[in-house]
Amino acid sequence: MASEKEIKEIYENRMNILEDLTNNVQEIQEQVLEEILKRNAGTEYLSRFFPSGEADNQSFKTIVPIITYEDIKPYIDRIANGETSPILLAYRIIQFLLSTGTSGGQPKLIPMTAESFEKRMSDLLLSDLVTRKCFSGSDEGKSLYLYFIKPEMETPSGLKASFFTTFYFKTESFKNGLAKFLTSPIDTILCLDNKQSMFCQLLTGLLQRDEVVRFGSTFASVLARTIKFLEDYWRELCSNIRTGYLSDWIIDPGCKNAMSLILTRPNRELADSIQQICEDKSWEGIIVKLWPKIKYIHCIITGSMSQYVSLLEFYGGGIPFVSPIYNSSESSFGINLKPVSKPFDVSYTFLPNTAYFEFLPVGKDGEGKAQETWTDDEPVGLANVKLGRYYEVVVTTLAGLYRYTVGDVLKVTGFYNKSPQFQFVERRNVVLSIDVDKTTEEDLSKAIMKAKLILEPLGIMLTTYSSYADTSLTPGRYVLFWELKMKGSNDLPKLDAKIMEQCCCMVEESFDFTYKSHRKGGAISALELRVVKHGTFDELMDFYVSKGVSVAQYKPPSCLKSEEAVKILNSGMVGKFFSPKTMF
Ligand code: AMP
């Protein structure tokens, strides 16, 4: 492990690099693009636009079209099927990354090279250093980070395809780096059975509870699921600690072996103290009670993850959150240079050496709603975005993506030196839509955040939500699913119809002008609110996981497109309520 002096040197070195990068955004971006074109102008894809095999930055920006995944899918499929000519890039692909976005029901395959992996790693390292520097003492102990993997796929060419985290957790750089600071033995992370993996990771985290200074996972949703698992299994975990014997349903050889080195003796005292904490009727602050030395909770908690803020704040008992990084299978984008920001204030600083970035201006109308269509404005470069404006990010990478739209809308909130900082606004295509109304993820989240304030004084917590546009009837309506529970217990609250109706009204009131005018004009029916019992959203997650989504990358959909998913939530329904028909 690196000494304090070595860590200080690494930090200072990285910070100097950061200063250099963020002061020379324009120059570095042009160099990155030049390098990409020098290497790849002769590929089949680019030579369509540059038959001479040579391309310069300026022509690239005017000739090469802005595309989506569907446009390059045929090229990617040919690589996946084993064609070895330089189709999209001249360099060797080490494998594909699976994105949680889908194309025709299949996960998207994104090429990854050794170099693009290294770039991502250097962003992760920088983010980690910045965070540790912010919280004194956080270097000393261990991290209880709940990490999971998913099975890999193999393409016909023999190239593997996996989620980024699965790839990363199997690398030497994980094993020799971050893994050394974790409470979870690597074999428990690499166990493909997520339930056995979760049990063992929580058990090792509890056994080392006095050493844990950081708690986290990739996404906030995984932590919400971890707490639910703890609620269901704390007695069994305590019994393992008390007796020194591992539950016999843990049969994965890696897990069993790793646990045999940690669960070595009965520890009655530890089991009693954990039991006492978990028996408390209220689980408010359970994380800090179980792991009293935790300095921060580390997970992505922006975008669709922001629906977990209040739930995790409740269980966290005041521990700050660090939302470290904004990235995707396509590219790393930005890191959070102000780790102490509150979840709703987090911005990510883009680093100009990661990829070549362009930004399509996205209009915002008076009510702050992202317009569906792009404005006519030309895309602008990283050095030219304007404070307060909204953009959709377009990326050109070293790994074969050229002017590729990721689908994320971002807002410029500031600058670090000359490098812009962005707040994640929404995933562009996640919208509820009826007639001409398009309600975005951001609109929905804001409206629900307002409506749930009605419930909070009554001790009722909204733990998670989703929605869908029910167009089976005419006119159609938006249906919300809310999972509710009492603060401090998992009991279902008594549902007062009047109050629930008020929540429906508040959501509708908070929607934008287009929605309200259509509702008034009768083009949209009264909003429906379906309350589901505690645990129903876990079943939804199980459903998506069974379809191949990685637990570590799972993001609860704020809007459902699949009938099966709607059915699952309907099966947990305990009450439904409507806005008054004539509200507007
Ligand atoms: P995937 O390619 O499956 O890793 O998904 C990437 C997508 O997850 C991004 O395009 C974003 O929509 C979302 N995402 C990743 N990081 C963040 C973040 N820090 N905040 C909000 N959304 C994020």
Side-chain angles (χ1 to χ4, degrees), residues 98-101 120 163-164 219 300-305 323-330 333 348 406-408 424 426-427 553 555:
L98 293 171
S99 157
T100 43
R120 295 176 75 108
F163 292 103
F164 176 76
F219 289 103
I300 290 175
I301 199 160
T302 46
S304 65
M305 292 297 140
S323 192
I325 197 149
Y326 162 45
N327 60 18
S328 76
S329 309
E330 289 87 355
F333 296 114
Y348 302 97
V406 178
D408 291 343
F424 182 90
E426 65 192 356
R427 182 92 185 168
Q553 273 176 306
K555 302 170 196 82

Side-chain angles (χ1 to χ4, degrees), residues 19 29 31 64 93 128-129 163 221 278 280 304 336 362 375 447 497 545:
E19 290 302 305
Q29 279 282 275
Q31 284 163 16
V64 176
I93 292 174
D128 194 47
L129 285 171
F163 292 103
S221 56
C278 294
D280 199 335
S304 65
N336 179 357
V362 174
T375 61
V545 168

Side-chain angles (χ1 to χ4, degrees), residues 149-165:
I149 63 160
K150 280 293 283 180
E152 290 160 333
M153 281 168 45
E154 198 168 282
T155 60
S157 63
L159 278 173
K160 288 197 175 131
S162 73
F163 292 103
F164 176 76
T165 39

Side-chain angles (χ1 to χ4, degrees), residues 39-59:
R39 292 188 200 174
N40 295 322
T43 58
E44 186 180 325
Y45 182 81
L46 284 181
S47 59
R48 280 165 59 211
F49 312 106
F50 305 103
S52 69
E54 281 189 24
D56 63 276
N57 288 8
Q58 203 40 46
S59 333

Side-chain angles (χ1 to χ4, degrees), residues 10 46 54 169 228 315 365 400 511 532:
I10 297 174
L46 284 181
E54 281 189 24
F169 296 149
K228 172 76 174 53
Y315 290 121
D365 66 20
F511 281 161
V532 298

Side-chain angles (χ1 to χ4, degrees), residues 336-571:
N336 179 357
L337 292 179
K338 272 197 229 146
V340 285
S341 309
K342 295 254 177 286
F344 289 105
D345 299 331
V346 171
S347 289
Y348 302 97
T349 307
F350 273 43
L351 302 181
N353 64 338
T354 311
Y356 179 69
F357 300 110
E358 291 170 276
F359 298 87
L360 278 168
V362 174
K364 284 286 209 176
D365 66 20
E367 302 220 17
K369 178 175 179 177
Q371 282 169 7
E372 249 303 279
T373 48
W374 293 324
T375 61
D376 292 335
D377 295 349
E378 287 296 312
V380 296
L382 186 61
N384 302 106
V385 294
K386 300 263 180 301
L387 188 67
R389 292 287 305 266
Y390 292 75
Y391 298 94
E392 178 165 357
V393 61
V394 176
V395 70
T396 296
T397 69
L398 281 157
L401 303 177
Y402 306 99
R403 309 194 91 196
Y404 176 101
T405 46
V406 178
D408 291 343
V409 175
L410 312 174
K411 180 183 178 186
V412 184
T413 51
F415 293 86
Y416 181 85
N417 294 329
K418 289 180 184 152
S419 206
Q421 299 177 302
F422 294 90
Q423 210 160 49
F424 182 90
V425 177
E426 65 192 356
R427 182 92 185 168
R428 192 162 198 275
N429 294 325
V430 181
V431 289
L432 279 173
S433 175
I434 288 179
D435 206 309
V436 296
D437 181 69
K438 301 259 185 284
T439 295
T440 65
E441 190 169 0
E442 188 192 19
D443 297 332
L444 184 66
S445 156
K446 276 192 181 151
I448 291 176
M449 292 304 142
K450 272 195 197 162
K452 78 171 188 165
L453 294 179
I454 298 173
L455 300 178
E456 282 180 356
L458 307 170
I460 301 174
M461 279 179 87
L462 170 64
T463 57
T464 183
Y465 69 83
S466 193
S467 64
Y468 84 109
D470 182 2
T471 45
S472 63
L473 39 108
T474 319
R477 63 159 48 102
Y478 293 155
V479 177
L480 305 183
F481 290 99
W482 284 13
E483 192 177 285
L484 298 178
K485 70 183 207 81
M486 291 308 292
K487 244 187 197 157
S489 82
N490 285 339
D491 296 347
L492 186 74
K494 273 213 176 75
L495 301 172
D496 179 321
K498 279 235 153 56
I499 301 234
M500 298 314 293
E501 267 174 37
Q502 269 177 35
C503 292
C504 297
C505 292
M506 179 58 84
V507 171
E508 290 204 300
E509 294 269 20
S510 311
F511 281 161
D512 72 344
F513 171 77
T514 318
Y515 176 88
K516 286 188 247 189
S517 66
H518 279 74
R519 173 88 159 81
K520 192 172 172 187
I524 298 179
S525 297
L527 179 123
E528 182 181 342
L529 171 55
R530 297 182 191 165
V531 176
V532 298
K533 61 174 187 279
H534 186 57
T536 309
F537 274 79
D538 286 331
E539 282 172 42
L540 186 69
M541 173 164 170
D542 291 341
F543 163 72
Y544 283 112
V545 168
S546 75
K547 296 267 170 208
V549 171
S550 148
V551 175
Q553 273 176 306
Y554 175 74
K555 302 170 196 82
S558 45
C559 166
L560 303 175
K561 302 277 184 241
S562 127
E563 262 180 47
E564 246 180 308
V566 172
K567 248 195 217 155
I568 290 168
L569 292 189
N570 275 340
S571 70

